[in-house]
Amino acid sequence: MTRSIVPALVLLVVGLILLFFAYQSSQSVGDQVAEAVTGRFTDSTIWFLVLEAAAAVAGVALLLFGKPARS
C-alpha cells in the first residue's frame, strides 16, 4: 500500500465513524423530540453529518486526485 492511499483511507474511515455517531445521535430520544417539534435535528447531529461529509469528500478526492507515492 502506498503512502498516498493511507491518508485517504483514514479520512474515509473517520467519515464512516462520524456517520455512525450521527445516526446514533439522530435516534436519541432528545433528538427525536427536537426534530418532531422544530422539524430539524440538533446542532450536534448536524455537525456530525457535516464533518462526516467533509471527511468522505476529502478521502475520495485524495484517492482520485492525490499524488502517487514515489517508489
Side-chain angles (χ1 to χ4, degrees):
M1 188 177 305
T2 61
R3 280 193 182 152
S4 64
I5 293 177
V6 173
L9 292 178
V10 168
L11 283 170
L12 288 173
V13 169
V14 167
L16 288 174
I17 291 169
L18 288 171
L19 180 62
F20 171 76
F21 282 122
Y23 176 76
Q24 291 295 321
S25 178
S26 71
Q27 298 303 307
S28 70
V29 174
D31 210 319
Q32 290 287 322
V33 170
E35 198 266 332
V37 172
T38 64
R40 51 179 235 171
F41 291 112
T42 60
D43 288 343
S44 63
T45 301
I46 296 297
W47 276 111
F48 278 132
L49 290 170
V50 167
L51 293 174
E52 174 269 326
V57 167
V60 169
L62 276 176
L63 279 175
L64 294 177
F65 304 113
K67 293 182 180 179
R70 293 184 189 189
S71 299

